[in-house]
Amino acid sequence: KNEVEQSPQNLTAQEGEFITINCSYSVGISALHWLQQHPGGGIVSLFMLSSGKKKHGRLIATINIQEKHSSLHITASHPRDSAVYICAARTRNYGGSQGNLIFGKGTKLSVKP
Amino acid sequence: DGGITQSPKYLFRKEGQNVTLSCEQNLNHDAMYWYRQDPGQGLRLIYYSQIVNDFQKGDIAEGYSVSREKKESFPLTVTSAQKNPTAFYLCAAGGIYTQYFGPGTRLTVL
C-alpha cells in the first residue's frame, strides 16, 4: 500500500464546476504539500499545510490531521486549471534532520469548456 | 530571472553510456534534490544535498551519482549501471516550507 494515496486518478469536469481532489496518507507528517504539474512537466508548489485550511484565489486546501486526510478544492473551474495535481507528505522531522517528501501518484484534471 | 534551470529538456543516449543532467539554481537555497518520475508513479527521490560538498542517497540511488561542489549546481549522472534509465528527471531546491522545481529533463535511452 502506498504511503500517500490520491483519488481520483483522473477527473474530467465542465468549466465552472466545483472540483475536489483527495489525499490520504499513512505516515506521520510535519506538513502536506499540494503541487501542480502542467503538461510540459514543470511543477509549481500551490500550498503547504500543517493544519486547518488555506486559500489562494480559487484554490482551497484543507487538512485533517486526526483523519490523515487532505483535500484540494477548485471553485469555478476553468480549462486553464487542467493539469496534474500532486499531493506530497513531508515526513516528521526527527532528531533535527529535515524529513523528505513522499509523493502521491497525482490526479489528472481536465476541464472542458 | 530567478529559478532553477535544467538542461537539456530532451536527451537521447545509447544504452551503456553515462549521461550527466545539469541543474543550476540562483535561489540561494542550501538544499537541492533530484527526483525521477515514471508514468503512473509518484516522484521518487534519487539523491539530495543539504549543503555544499555533502549529499545523501534517496530511495532509488542505485545507478546514479551526484556531486555538489558549488551551492548553485547539483548535476546528476545516470550511469550504465542504472537498469531502466528512461524517465523524466526533476531537480528541485528549497527548504522545509516549499520546494522549487526545475522544468525537468526527459531522458530516453535507446
Side-chain angles (χ1 to χ4, degrees):
Chain A
K1 187 181 187 301
N2 293 327
E3 293 171 301
V4 177
E5 297 269 7
Q6 285 186 240
S7 63
Q9 287 187 342
N10 294 283
L11 181 57
T12 300
Q14 287 299 126
E15 184 172 355
E17 285 185 1
F18 181 83
I19 287 163
T20 296
I21 298 170
N22 297 298
C23 175
S24 296
Y25 53 91
S26 58
V27 294
I29 69 166
S30 60
L32 193 289
H33 296 252
W34 281 101
L35 310 168
Q36 180 189 55
Q37 185 173 29
H38 279 281
I43 292 178
V44 174
S45 180
L46 298 174
F47 294 103
M48 186 203 75
L49 292 163
S50 53
S51 64
K53 176 180 173 178
K54 286 190 176 180
K55 184 176 189 294
H56 185 254
R58 295 180 294 105
L59 300 178
I60 302 166
T62 63
I63 189 167
N64 185 318
I65 298 294
Q66 286 73 31
E67 294 186 4
K68 295 189 173 181
H69 181 269
S70 177
S71 293
L72 177 68
H73 305 285
I74 304 175
T75 62
S77 60
H78 189 276
R80 65 175 175 266
D81 296 325
S82 298
V84 175
Y85 292 84
I86 300 169
C87 133
R90 182 169 295 286
T91 53
R92 191 168 290 145
N93 191 356
Y94 291 110
S97 63
Q98 178 181 337
N100 288 323
L101 290 173
I102 302 174
F103 294 82
K105 293 181 180 181
T107 294
K108 185 174 182 179
L109 172 65
S110 178
V111 182
K112 307 292 186 188
Chain B
D1 196 25
I4 301 176
T5 56
Q6 290 185 245
S7 61
K9 189 169 177 64
Y10 298 96
L11 189 55
F12 297 88
R13 279 295 182 268
K14 291 183 179 178
E15 195 172 341
Q17 289 182 334
N18 291 357
V19 59
T20 297
L21 280 59
S22 166
C23 177
E24 303 280 330
Q25 59 121 346
N26 61 6
L27 302 171
N28 203 34
H29 282 295
D30 286 316
M32 296 187 73
Y33 308 81
W34 273 106
Y35 296 99
R36 171 181 171 138
Q37 188 177 38
D38 294 283
Q41 295 212 34
L43 276 71
R44 291 181 290 169
L45 182 64
I46 305 172
Y47 267 98
Y48 64 101
S49 169
Q50 303 271 28
I51 199 166
V52 174
N53 292 322
D54 185 54
F55 48 82
Q56 307 294 329
K57 291 182 179 179
D59 300 318
I60 54 165
E62 185 175 349
Y64 299 98
S65 66
V66 294
S67 62
R68 187 83 187 279
E69 297 176 2
K70 299 186 299 182
K71 188 175 187 177
E72 301 80 16
S73 179
F74 190 39
L76 173 75
T77 297
V78 184
T79 75
S80 57
Q82 169 48 235
K83 300 299 182 196
N84 186 18
T86 293
F88 187 58
Y89 292 87
L90 284 154
C91 175
I96 61 173
Y97 296 111
T98 193
Q99 284 190 12
Y100 300 92
F101 289 83
T105 292
R106 191 166 299 279
L107 172 65
T108 302
V109 175
L110 305 171

